[in-house]
Amino acid sequence: MKADVTTVMVEEHKLILRMIDLVEKNTRLLEQGRFDDWRFYLDAVDFIRNYADRFHHAKEEATLFTALVANGMPEQNSPVAAMLMEHDQGRAFVRGMEAAAQKALDGATDQVAVLAENAYGYVELLRRHIEKEDTILYPLAERVLPAEVRPAMLEAYHRAEAEVAEDFSERYRRMVEDYEVRSAA
């Protein structure tokens, strides 16, 4: 039986999608004048940069995508190239959200539209991105990656997880849960 090399990625997507839902909901409220917690957006940026990007995307890029290319998937004009491009697009939206939130915290009163444009851009991009990974790329990876490369991939995921603080994933899970509780109130 082949070791499943995408289960951990799908599980991480679930927490990322929960944060994306919060970003979308709070941005709608922000546009309606019913939300003014600019700090939330800096926390969302922290979550996205550290959990989604440096932790999750890094495992994809350094391990999964590398294994796919090494096992026959073209590096250019391929699903891997498209996913890498979307990772970069997401990073640009996150920089825009961060800049707008910081300006608002510093007293600027004209940042709602800028923040909303970047937040909605990120939300839309990441939802489509995750859907493509979960329904197309990951199932493809499970079909094409040979059994002999899977143990090393799983070990690479474990090493990546071991390189972060012991409470890293739990800290970000608690962050999302805390904002979900606030959002429901």
Side-chain angles (χ1 to χ4, degrees):
M1 170 143 178
K2 293 195 266 188
D4 187 344
V5 293
T6 60
T7 299
V8 67
M9 303 309 221
V10 171
E11 285 304 309
E12 290 169 2
H13 280 167
K14 291 175 184 175
L15 187 61
I16 294 166
L17 287 168
R18 287 169 61 192
M19 177 55 86
I20 288 170
D21 288 346
L22 287 164
V23 168
E24 181 180 45
K25 179 179 182 180
N26 289 339
T27 302
R28 289 199 196 294
L29 293 171
L30 178 73
E31 289 178 307
Q32 297 166 6
R34 298 173 40 213
F35 184 81
D36 63 358
D37 183 1
W38 294 98
R39 183 84 228 156
F40 161 77
Y41 291 101
L42 295 182
D43 285 345
V45 165
D46 172 53
F47 174 93
I48 293 164
R49 281 207 177 122
N50 290 298
Y51 186 85
D53 201 22
R54 291 189 185 116
F55 182 66
H56 175 79
H57 290 164
K59 285 192 282 189
E60 283 179 336
E61 293 173 6
T63 303
L64 181 63
F65 296 172
T66 300
L68 285 167
V69 169
N71 285 278
M73 184 173 283
E75 194 167 347
Q76 302 299 319
N77 301 314
S78 71
V80 167
M83 295 298 104
L84 290 170
M85 184 179 70
E86 290 179 2
H87 286 179
D88 287 340
Q89 289 171 336
R91 291 173 185 126
F93 285 128
V94 170
R95 284 190 300 274
M97 275 195 319
E98 180 182 40
Q102 192 58 60
K103 287 177 185 175
L105 281 169
D106 292 341
T109 59
D110 60 349
Q111 294 302 301
V112 171
V114 174
L115 187 126
E117 178 182 346
N118 284 285
Y120 290 140
Y122 185 77
V123 165
E124 182 180 332
L125 174 75
L126 252 286
R127 281 192 181 134
R128 280 191 337 257
H129 179 84
I130 287 171
E131 176 72 16
K132 286 185 271 190
E133 286 182 340
D134 286 354
T135 64
I136 299 168
L137 185 62
Y138 291 176
L140 175 66
E142 292 299 341
R143 286 193 309 273
V144 303
L145 289 171
E148 60 269 12
V149 304
R150 292 165 181 267
M153 291 177 69
L154 294 172
E155 179 57 34
Y157 294 159
H158 293 303
R159 276 194 312 275
E161 291 164 7
E163 290 174 5
V164 296
E166 188 175 317
D167 68 338
F168 178 86
S169 292
E170 185 56 31
R171 180 168 39 102
Y172 285 109
R173 183 172 317 287
R174 278 193 314 270
M175 174 192 285
V176 170
E177 289 170 354
D178 289 347
Y179 276 115
E180 286 171 336
V181 168
R182 291 185 214 175
S183 178

